[in-house]
Amino acid sequence: LNFMLGFIWSKRLNQAAAREGLFDSSQYALPGKTCNSAVLKKVLFFDLLRQTQQTGTIVDFDAKAAYDSIIPALATVTCMRMGLPKFAGDFMTQLITNMEYSVATGLGESTKTYRANANPHFLCQGGMQGSTSAAPIYNIHHDVSLTTYSEHGTPAIFQHPNPAEIATEDYAAQFVDDNQQQKSVVGLIKAYSTDLARCQNAQEVDELLIRVTNEDANRWCKYSFCAGGRINASKCFWQFIKPVQCPNTGKITYCTEAECPGEVLLQTPDDQELADLIPRFEPDVANRTLGARLAPDGNVRAEIKSRLEKAKQWSISLRKAQLSNGDCWAAYNSCIRPAVNYPLVGQQCTSEDLQQTQRVLDTIACHALGLNEHFPRALLHGPMSLGGIGVPTAWAETLAEKLAYFVHHIRLGDAVGQQLKVSTAIVQLEVGTGTPFFQLPFEKWGYLVTKSWVAHLWQSCSGVGVDIQATASSHWVPPLQTEYDEYIMDRVMCRFSRKASIKINHCRRYLQLVTISDLFLHDGRRFHPDIYRGVRASGRVAQYAWPDIYPPSKSCWTLWKQFLRLEFPAGLHPHAENDVWCHLPSYSHDLQFFYDADTRFLYRGEAGGADTQWWRYEQLSAPALRGVIAKFSLHGTPYDGELTESGVWVDVEVTKTEIVVLSESLRSASAMRHFGNADETGGPVAAVCLEARLRALPLELQRLVGTVRIPEDGGNSLIDAIRCGERVYGVSDGSASKGLAAHGWKLARRPGDPMAIKGSGPVDGHRPTAFRAEMQGQVAVLIVSSLLVAARGIRQARIISLCDNRATLRRLAAHSRTLRVRDQTESEVDLFLIYREWMRKNYIHPTQRWVKGHQDRTTPLSDIGPEGLLNIEVDKLATDAYTTTGIARSVPMVDVFAAELYSIFIDGEKITSKLKHRVIDRCGEEPLRQYLLHKHCLSEGKQAGVNWPALEGYLISMSAPRRATQVKLQHGWIPTNSFLHTQRRVPSDTCPLCASAPETASHVRRCSGAATFRRTRIERLCRDLRGINTAPEIVQCWKCFIEMECGDTTATTDNGIVLLVPGLERTLSIARRHQSILSWEGFLQGRISTKWNDVQMYHERRRVQETASHDSRQPWDRHVVRLVCEFHYDLWQYRNDEVHGRTQQEAQQRIRDEVEANVQALYARHPILLARYPSIYSVPLDVRLKRSTLSLQMWIKQVLQQELLTDIDRKKARMEAGSIEKFLQPRGRQRVEQIDDAQRSQWQVQATNTLSRWWRHRMRFQSKVELPRMGIGD
């Protein structure tokens, strides 16, 4: 029953309502949204207040017994509002009302029961707790309250800098029963504009904002009460946020409660005389919201401390649980990593902030993988593409999650996406350049921007070489306004220091300037006088939504004038004579004054849309001055007439006594559109024919579709077939080979249709896969078929879409559901988004079918159906695309499509699949490259010559513990006796097999005790290499060098090796020398030269018949890496088998025997310990030996530590009190020794005390970490 309730409400009703957009946008416990989305919305609210210098408040509400407060009868009505059938609603009401509950435990079922109607004061309440339908019903139930609050509440409003964008209104964010409400000063204009206009100063505005916060908080309390719930005031809190920026340093501080007092009282809805005071916190206090600790000022101290404590708790729990390594690794991946990393998505933590937490996590991961605690972190976190284990750091995993959430919400276009766009545009305006800031180095430009989540994302990506690119229409950049225009900050950053750049940029932002054209009058003859003096230009109206920042200091204005004099010594525009204003939809500013030379009047317009108010000013009689056109009085009169066509827009300077007209504007009058009512028409009329529509596609979509061949009738036969209901097939196929890929597609009625529309083209990308080729073919079919039917005005045309790749069909079938975060990280997301966008146009309704591919290889053509024959035809189209003239070839660079908005690039390669994996690998790549350089002397050139893809394929195929062992072996971190002896874990460093030399990593390969096994294993390796069709010349060469590397000086040559074929000797020599540069030791460790592929390819071309008999489904180089690495691993495994046993039981028995021998030796030695330690004889030997091996090992370690402490205490006592021997000596000699003792310096005693304290602390620390008191031992 509980399952059915969850299935009906969670799966069907909740998802259907979300898919149709019936929920309020403030709901976040919905499909396509996550808890982190609600957290991110709160973070962006704090950021936007900081970036726009607005004052705001936020109130967090928590419901009391949320699910038990649902009124079933009311919930039925609200669920029916979302589409629930009446009979289902009646069933739910009867079920909740009449359900009788009991408590069942291990001791049995309770005798007493509970019903929803048990409380006569709250009938039909209390029956939803524990039900699987409780959460979705609660969402639907309180969606009415959210919608009502959005109509009557006060929002936080943030204006995008681009005037063409609509302002974002942020009312609230709710995740199940957690609700947060945001407000800003600009939001007061919506409902409290009159009260806001009456405010005389900033203090009165703050008081008004707090009063509105009180009213809205009580309004929400009443809405919740009407829905059956109550607010838990003890868990609620609110914060008043007023940022203040320092003009010199740019640092932002916040007003405290003492500076802006106020409180929020919640009145009880059913008793207005009772009220609860909601706690207020300062802006630097981080409160827990949905598992994340967020502070309005952006500090992460509380979150870092919480993450460290969480990691330590997990570490202690794992140690006490005594789990196996496999279970610890499973717990690390499924519990520890998600629990620690979850709240970091909304935080602005750097890798340095998480260092302590990462140390704890690394210790857990190393123990789980069987690694030493001091194992190099570069190998642990390095990507498998460079031979690392691939365990991600918390910071790298968080960065990947942040990128996924960023592109998800931007592409989804929800409330979080709109806030991200506003924050991104403000950062771009603060930087003040025309290059998208994501493509700029943060180290050079980052200090110009205000601290924010977007800026932190930029900093993180810039540090690891991850690039975020966008289409021109997605990322707003203030445009250049004239043909020779330049950005002000481009000049500033080339000349001035960091400190000076911050001050000059502050002046630029205060004056609201972007380009050098804003500095001068519109004719470019000289600076605008106001701008040079440090005053916003009078007569100009800013079109960008600039933050209202504090005026700069005197030192800032000094640097500003210095910048103007240095860059423009003559005081005029560099290209004043030739510069021409560009025709733009919006400029950085518009002129406010209009001058008519015929009538000698000056007009000023006040923006008001259709009701623009004009004022007219009379000209003063003043002598003509240089650079002055005319002067006018400050007093104007309203003017209701129309402006004459002979007038021009002018730049003016408003002084204390007059208005001075300085220059005429060279811009077109139509640019001043905010004063007129111009009716902008739409775009050009769409073309009708298919060929014209294809040409009208963006260039990137034209390349995606490929070369299209249209029949003579222009597709009319296909249109007629669609209208008549006949079958029309859209078939596609793709292929990929050796770094190139191509696709082919066809729209046809039947196989061999002469009137078919077909096409083929390249598949771009870095090493494109066959899956991408198949998917691109399906996208091309959809685009061309949509254009075909759209030209005839047909909608919902039905075609049959055929593909021989099931994964492609499954991926494209998900286009109808709501976009989720994980969709952004799956394969070929760019093509998926294009397919989804064109499907939403509703031109085509395809029926997707799978057809078996390459049927002609095993079946006669006469026995193949029409769908199979069509697949054969498009397969030939895709294959011929490689050689057909006029069809381009694959290129590594892929454009950012309009459907994507933003894309992630690494080293110029667009990431379309496995986004998180690629970003995590990128974060660990540079440390591992540095490790390879210092450990193995692999320079950048040498690293480029290693066949890393083959090694990566081998490491990916293994489990994490097995991969860790292989990586240890590759880099010499194996526990040989020489290594263990340096750690004092074994008494000797001698090899246990030959007992003739120290056992090092190289000795394991050369040990004489394993010579027989080694020779047998080399012969087996050669047979395996021949089995995968390795060139005989390669086998002979490798065998020779492997034997030399293994210390076999009696290397023999196999007589069965054929002679070198002509031309192969040079290629083989190049490969051999290149491998020698990389080292043959590295060869055994998996670092094989890429030159061997050239030798093998030459072999396969010259011996075609021999090659054809071998299975080549997996590349040859991956086979080779696997065989060589397994050979090296077997040498180490043989040593372990001989030392520790071949089976697990044998290994355990050897360990047991060794432990028992140590225990018996300890009993035989009988150490005398301090009185506070129990004697080892307190437990008889036979009883002691019955305990487990782990208990005995820990007991031995504990006794040895106690023995060391006993020796230290005894030596200290002997130095302080002396020995009993002094009482047995003659009296005269004793007196002399006492005199000598008195002459000894006191530093010996002090040194002993210091040593004793240090040793006690060290032993105590080891006991805490390695010997937890759990009843083990005495």
Side-chain angles (χ1 to χ4, degrees):
L1 178 61
N2 208 18
F3 169 77
M4 290 304 300
L5 288 174
F7 181 78
I8 294 174
W9 273 269
S10 297
K11 287 290 184 183
R12 292 193 173 179
L13 180 62
N14 198 44
Q15 291 188 6
R19 188 167 53 250
E20 296 298 328
L22 301 180
F23 281 106
D24 189 90
S25 60
S26 301
Q27 286 271 24
Y28 282 87
L30 298 174
K33 299 181 180 180
T34 65
C35 184
N36 272 328
S37 299
V39 173
L40 188 56
K41 185 177 183 182
K42 185 174 182 179
V43 172
L44 291 173
F45 168 71
F46 294 151
D47 290 346
L48 289 172
L49 287 181
R50 194 181 310 118
Q51 290 176 297
T52 59
Q53 301 290 300
Q54 280 196 68
T55 304
T57 61
I58 185 168
V59 186
D60 269 51
F61 294 99
D62 196 358
K64 181 186 297 184
Y67 294 165
D68 285 342
S69 66
I70 298 175
I71 302 176
L74 186 57
T76 302
V77 177
T78 55
C79 288
M80 292 175 63
R81 168 176 169 263
M82 295 293 183
L84 183 72
K86 185 177 182 303
F87 70 90
D90 295 339
F91 166 74
M92 182 189 72
T93 305
Q94 295 297 327
L95 177 69
I96 297 176
T97 304
N98 301 320
M99 179 70 74
E100 189 170 348
Y101 301 90
S102 61
V103 179
T105 65
L107 302 177
E109 188 175 344
S110 62
T111 57
K112 295 184 178 181
T113 59
Y114 168 79
R115 299 183 62 181
N117 291 336
N119 189 346
H121 299 288
F122 295 97
L123 294 176
C124 297
Q125 284 185 303
M128 292 300 295
Q129 194 72 34
S131 171
T132 56
S133 60
I137 290 179
Y138 186 89
N139 289 342
I140 296 172
H141 195 51
H142 280 261
D143 186 73
V144 179
S145 301
L146 276 174
T147 305
T148 307
Y149 178 79
S150 299
E151 296 177 359
H152 302 283
T154 303
I157 297 179
F158 301 103
Q159 178 63 53
H160 193 285
N162 185 4
E165 298 285 344
I166 303 175
T168 62
E169 295 184 359
D170 187 10
Y171 287 90
Q174 178 156 334
F175 191 87
V176 193
D177 63 327
D178 289 317
N179 180 276
Q180 59 191 27
Q181 297 176 1
Q182 300 94 357
K183 291 167 187 60
S184 67
V185 171
V186 178
L188 297 177
I189 300 176
K190 187 167 185 179
Y192 295 88
S193 57
T194 304
D195 297 336
L196 188 62
R198 294 173 183 170
C199 296
Q200 301 296 325
N201 50 47
Q203 182 179 357
E204 293 183 3
V205 175
D206 296 342
E207 294 174 355
L208 174 62
L209 182 61
I210 295 176
R211 176 170 68 85
V212 173
T213 303
N214 264 287
E215 294 176 1
D216 282 356
N218 283 277
R219 180 180 289 112
W220 177 254
C221 188
K222 294 176 183 178
Y223 291 165
S224 299
F225 182 78
C226 292
R230 290 180 178 271
I231 299 298
N232 190 349
S234 61
K235 292 185 178 181
C236 301
F237 65 89
W238 76 286
Q239 291 173 299
F240 181 85
I241 309 164
K242 186 174 183 178
V244 179
Q245 187 174 20
C246 175
N248 288 326
T249 62
K251 184 179 179 181
I252 292 180
T253 58
Y254 290 83
C255 294
T256 62
E257 184 176 1
E259 297 171 340
C260 299
E263 59 184 19
V264 175
L265 289 172
L266 278 186
Q267 296 179 345
T268 306
D270 53 351
D271 190 351
Q272 296 293 325
E273 296 181 358
L274 298 178
D276 295 321
L277 179 64
I278 298 182
R280 173 178 174 177
F281 295 99
E282 297 292 353
D284 62 342
V285 177
N287 291 280
R288 190 173 184 271
T289 303
L290 298 176
R293 289 159 179 81
L294 305 176
D297 66 348
N299 77 80
V300 294
R301 295 186 297 270
E303 192 64 77
I304 293 173
K305 182 179 178 181
S306 172
R307 296 305 92 199
L308 180 59
E309 293 175 353
K310 175 75 71 174
K312 289 182 177 179
Q313 289 174 2
W314 276 105
S315 178
I316 295 172
S317 300
L318 283 180
R319 227 173 24 243
K320 290 182 178 180
Q322 298 183 7
L323 300 176
S324 64
N325 287 352
D327 293 339
C328 285
W329 180 246
Y332 176 80
N333 282 295
S334 60
C335 301
I336 301 176
R337 272 173 50 196
V340 174
N341 296 342
Y342 153 70
L344 297 179
V345 175
Q347 300 288 356
Q348 302 173 31
C349 300
T350 62
S351 57
E352 291 77 15
D353 295 333
L354 299 173
Q355 275 186 354
Q356 294 184 357
T357 304
Q358 191 61 51
R359 290 194 190 102
V360 180
L361 295 177
D362 288 347
T363 302
I364 298 173
C366 288
H367 288 170
L369 294 174
L371 301 173
N372 187 283
E373 284 187 0
H374 306 289
F375 187 76
R377 297 304 183 250
L379 292 177
L380 180 66
H381 303 306
M384 286 178 279
S385 58
L386 289 176
I389 299 178
V391 178
T393 62
W395 182 82
E397 201 165 6
T398 302
L399 176 59
E401 288 284 347
K402 287 179 179 179
L403 286 171
Y405 273 92
F406 176 79
V407 296
H408 168 69
H409 287 293
I410 287 287
R411 291 166 179 172
L412 194 60
D414 58 354
V416 178
Q418 294 299 323
Q419 288 183 337
L420 282 172
K421 289 180 64 176
V422 174
S423 182
T424 302
I426 293 176
V427 172
Q428 187 69 48
L429 201 59
E430 290 175 339
V431 171
T433 184
T435 305
F437 66 86
F438 280 122
Q439 301 175 29
L440 297 173
F442 183 85
E443 293 78 9
K444 181 179 179 181
W445 296 83
Y447 55 82
L448 297 177
V449 303
T450 306
K451 180 181 178 182
S452 64
W453 189 88
V454 172
H456 176 73
L457 179 65
W458 173 27
Q459 178 185 8
S460 303
C461 293
S462 179
V464 297
V466 176
D467 187 17
I468 304 177
Q469 296 185 18
T471 58
S473 59
S474 303
H475 187 98
W476 178 78
V477 174
L480 296 174
Q481 303 176 91
T482 65
E483 290 186 0
Y484 297 98
D485 209 354
E486 299 177 53
Y487 290 97
I488 296 174
M489 290 311 298
D490 287 343
R491 292 202 170 202
V492 172
M493 297 301 289
C494 294
R495 183 182 291 267
F496 291 89
S497 65
R498 170 173 178 166
K499 186 175 181 180
S501 300
I502 293 175
K503 293 185 177 182
I504 295 175
N505 191 46
H506 187 79
C507 296
R508 180 191 66 85
R509 292 170 55 201
Y510 176 77
L511 296 175
Q512 300 177 349
L513 311 173
V514 178
T515 66
I516 62 175
S517 297
D518 296 330
L519 299 172
F520 298 91
L521 299 175
H522 273 225
D523 58 3
R525 298 296 180 182
R526 59 185 173 120
F527 290 121
H528 195 291
D530 290 342
I531 292 177
Y532 187 82
R533 289 194 299 266
V535 182
R536 290 174 183 169
S538 53
R540 293 183 180 182
V541 180
Q543 292 302 290
Y544 302 151
W546 291 87
D548 189 12
I549 62 177
Y550 281 76
S553 63
K554 185 177 180 180
S555 62
C556 294
W557 290 123
T558 302
L559 279 171
W560 173 254
K561 292 181 180 180
Q562 180 183 353
F563 159 71
L564 294 179
R565 289 193 295 267
L566 287 174
E567 292 295 329
F568 312 101
L572 52 83
H573 195 285
H575 305 280
E577 298 294 337
N578 304 322
D579 209 2
V580 179
W581 287 89
C582 302
H583 182 71
L584 300 174
S586 176
Y587 295 90
S588 63
H589 66 269
D590 280 347
L591 298 180
Q592 200 175 10
F593 287 88
F594 187 85
Y595 174 58
D596 188 358
D598 296 338
T599 60
R600 297 180 178 273
F601 283 114
L602 183 68
Y603 302 90
R604 179 176 63 88
E606 293 182 354
D611 300 327
T612 302
Q613 177 64 50
W614 289 95
W615 297 80
R616 187 171 65 181
Y617 299 87
E618 295 184 358
Q619 185 172 354
L620 299 177
S621 57
L625 299 176
R626 182 180 178 183
V628 176
I629 297 177
K631 296 183 179 180
F632 293 86
S633 171
L634 289 176
H635 303 287
T637 58
Y639 177 73
D640 297 332
E642 295 184 358
L643 300 181
T644 60
E645 296 182 359
S646 59
V648 293
W649 297 94
V650 292
D651 247 335
V652 304
E653 178 188 6
V654 180
T655 65
K656 295 181 179 180
T657 58
E658 56 194 5
I659 302 175
V660 182
V661 179
L662 301 175
S663 70
E664 296 181 358
S665 175
L666 302 180
R667 278 199 222 154
S668 172
S670 62
M672 308 300 170
R673 67 189 188 285
H674 76 286
F675 290 129
N677 300 321
D679 184 16
E680 297 184 1
T681 59
V685 179
V688 176
C689 67
L690 176 61
E691 186 176 359
R693 285 178 175 267
L694 287 171
R695 286 198 302 268
L697 285 175
L699 295 178
E700 59 270 16
L701 287 185
Q702 292 183 28
R703 184 172 178 84
L704 186 146
V705 170
T707 303
V708 183
R709 292 178 284 278
I710 304 175
E712 296 179 357
D713 65 345
N716 290 329
S717 301
L718 296 175
I719 291 295
D720 295 339
I722 291 174
R723 286 174 173 168
C724 297
E726 299 178 6
R727 289 187 176 183
V728 174
Y729 295 95
V731 199
S732 69
D733 197 9
S735 65
S737 175
K738 299 178 181 179
L740 300 176
H743 69 90
W745 55 268
K746 175 181 286 191
L747 286 171
R749 296 168 295 176
R750 58 186 177 274
D753 187 2
M755 294 298 147
I757 301 176
K758 52 188 177 181
S760 57
V763 178
D764 296 331
H766 181 68
R767 291 185 296 178
T769 62
F771 178 79
R772 182 174 180 84
E774 296 275 3
M775 199 165 178
Q776 184 168 331
Q778 285 288 299
V779 174
V781 167
L782 177 62
I783 293 176
V784 176
S785 59
S786 298
L787 295 178
L788 178 65
V789 299
R792 274 75 175 181
I794 303 175
R795 303 188 68 85
Q796 290 290 327
R798 294 186 173 272
I799 66 171
I800 300 175
S801 182
L802 301 178
C803 182
D804 59 1
N805 191 298
R806 294 182 187 271
T808 300
L809 297 179
R810 286 194 299 268
R811 177 78 167 120
L812 296 178
H815 71 87
S816 59
R817 60 175 171 81
T818 306
L819 272 179
R820 305 187 180 186
V821 179
R822 67 170 179 262
D823 290 332
Q824 317 299 334
T825 62
E826 292 182 357
S827 58
E828 316 306 341
V829 63
D830 55 345
L831 298 180
F832 174 77
L833 292 172
I834 296 173
Y835 188 88
R836 183 173 180 269
E837 180 188 31
W838 281 84
M839 283 296 298
R840 296 177 72 179
K841 295 181 179 181
N842 290 326
Y843 290 121
I844 295 295
H845 183 75
T847 302
Q848 294 180 338
R849 291 184 188 176
W850 175 78
V851 58
K852 185 178 180 180
H854 306 292
Q855 298 184 39
D856 54 333
R857 294 180 179 178
T858 58
T859 308
L861 293 178
S862 58
D863 297 338
I864 301 176
E867 296 180 356
L869 294 175
L870 285 170
N871 178 260
I872 295 172
E873 293 178 2
V874 295
D875 180 52
K876 188 176 185 305
L877 283 174
T879 305
D880 294 343
Y882 291 108
T883 57
T884 305
T885 58
I887 298 180
R889 298 293 175 262
S890 300
V891 295
M893 188 64 183
V894 183
D895 296 322
V896 181
F897 298 105
E900 292 179 280
L901 302 181
Y902 281 84
S903 290
I904 312 300
F905 287 76
I906 296 179
D907 292 335
E909 174 191 349
K910 180 179 172 182
I911 308 303
T912 59
S913 301
K914 299 181 180 179
L915 172 63
K916 292 183 180 179
H917 175 75
R918 295 294 303 276
V919 173
I920 290 172
D921 284 358
R922 181 65 175 185
C923 294
E925 181 178 328
E926 187 58 30
L928 183 52
R929 289 190 181 276
Q930 293 298 323
Y931 179 84
L932 293 173
L933 175 63
H934 292 91
K935 176 73 174 179
H936 302 288
C937 298
L938 291 178
S939 61
E940 184 177 353
K942 291 181 180 180
Q943 292 180 25
V946 178
N947 195 339
W948 296 115
L951 181 59
E952 180 186 11
Y954 173 61
L955 294 177
I956 289 176
S957 65
M958 295 184 291
S959 62
R962 174 67 178 83
R963 187 188 312 133
T965 304
Q966 182 63 39
V967 173
K968 284 195 301 182
L969 194 61
Q970 288 176 5
H971 299 279
W973 273 86
I974 51 179
T976 59
N977 276 1
S978 178
F979 182 80
L980 297 177
H981 182 66
T982 58
Q983 298 180 339
R984 299 180 180 179
R985 294 169 60 183
V986 294
S988 173
D989 62 350
T990 307
C991 175
L993 297 184
C994 65
S996 60
E999 187 189 37
T1000 61
S1002 60
H1003 177 79
V1004 173
R1005 297 191 298 269
R1006 300 168 177 265
C1007 181
S1008 59
T1012 304
F1013 172 80
R1014 189 166 56 248
R1015 283 193 292 269
T1016 305
R1017 189 62 184 83
I1018 291 176
E1019 293 299 328
R1020 176 184 159 191
L1021 173 62
C1022 293
R1023 289 196 303 270
D1024 292 340
L1025 289 174
R1026 297 188 189 101
I1028 60 172
N1029 189 34
T1030 305
E1033 296 82 0
I1034 294 180
V1035 177
Q1036 180 184 11
C1037 178
W1038 286 1
K1039 181 181 179 183
C1040 177
F1041 280 96
I1042 289 174
E1043 289 175 344
M1044 293 174 59
E1045 187 64 29
C1046 294
D1048 190 355
T1049 58
T1050 60
T1052 59
T1053 303
D1054 192 349
N1055 295 326
I1057 297 297
V1058 297
L1059 298 176
L1060 296 175
V1061 296
L1064 184 61
E1065 183 176 3
R1066 175 177 173 79
T1067 308
L1068 181 64
S1069 177
I1070 293 174
R1072 184 174 62 250
R1073 289 197 298 267
H1074 187 256
Q1075 187 63 63
S1076 298
I1077 294 174
L1078 298 178
S1079 82
W1080 287 95
E1081 180 185 10
F1083 175 85
L1084 292 178
Q1085 294 172 348
R1087 296 185 293 275
I1088 298 178
S1089 169
T1090 55
K1091 303 297 183 182
W1092 296 111
N1093 286 349
D1094 299 336
V1095 182
Q1096 181 65 18
M1097 289 176 59
Y1098 192 90
H1099 158 71
E1100 292 178 356
R1101 288 197 302 267
R1102 296 300 298 266
R1103 300 183 174 101
V1104 179
Q1105 295 180 354
E1106 182 180 347
T1107 304
S1109 62
H1110 293 272
D1111 185 10
S1112 59
R1113 285 177 294 182
Q1114 188 175 3
W1116 171 82
D1117 53 355
R1118 294 193 180 184
H1119 277 298
V1120 165
V1121 170
R1122 177 180 59 83
L1123 293 176
V1124 173
C1125 289
E1126 287 178 354
F1127 164 76
H1128 193 206
Y1129 175 79
D1130 288 346
L1131 297 182
W1132 171 247
Q1133 188 63 35
Y1134 174 80
R1135 178 264 185 198
N1136 288 337
D1137 293 344
E1138 292 296 320
V1139 175
H1140 303 295
R1142 298 185 179 278
T1143 63
Q1144 186 176 5
Q1145 293 78 9
E1146 184 179 353
Q1148 291 176 352
Q1149 185 60 41
R1150 290 191 181 185
I1151 295 175
R1152 180 70 185 186
D1153 295 342
E1154 183 181 358
V1155 170
E1156 288 183 355
N1158 292 335
V1159 172
Q1160 292 172 359
L1162 199 59
Y1163 268 76
R1165 188 160 53 88
H1166 190 195
I1168 306 301
L1169 307 176
L1170 293 176
R1172 63 175 179 265
Y1173 299 134
S1175 172
I1176 63 174
Y1177 280 97
S1178 60
V1179 178
L1181 178 61
D1182 55 346
V1183 177
R1184 180 84 68 185
L1185 293 178
K1186 292 180 180 179
R1187 296 182 177 178
S1188 65
T1189 303
L1190 180 61
S1191 299
L1192 293 178
Q1193 288 175 331
M1194 299 181 70
W1195 177 78
I1196 292 173
K1197 200 170 186 178
Q1198 187 176 15
V1199 171
L1200 293 177
Q1201 291 178 353
Q1202 293 172 356
E1203 192 174 6
L1204 288 173
L1205 292 175
T1206 300
D1207 293 341
I1208 291 175
D1209 278 10
R1210 285 175 178 169
K1211 290 179 180 179
K1212 179 181 178 182
R1214 181 173 298 177
M1215 288 184 178
E1216 293 178 352
S1219 172
I1220 193 174
E1221 294 178 355
K1222 68 181 180 179
F1223 297 103
L1224 302 178
Q1225 297 174 357
R1227 185 172 301 177
R1229 183 179 176 184
Q1230 182 178 3
R1231 186 181 301 112
V1232 173
E1233 290 183 355
Q1234 289 178 354
I1235 295 174
D1236 294 340
D1237 291 341
Q1239 292 177 353
R1240 290 192 181 97
S1241 62
Q1242 197 175 359
W1243 69 269
Q1244 294 179 345
V1245 179
Q1246 294 176 352
T1248 305
N1249 292 337
T1250 303
L1251 178 63
S1252 177
R1253 286 195 300 270
W1254 172 80
W1255 190 259
R1256 284 176 182 273
H1257 176 72
R1258 184 173 182 270
M1259 292 297 105
R1260 192 180 302 116
F1261 175 76
Q1262 289 184 357
S1263 298
K1264 279 185 178 180
V1265 175
E1266 301 180 8
L1267 298 175
R1269 296 188 178 274
M1270 301 180 297
I1272 299 177
D1274 295 325

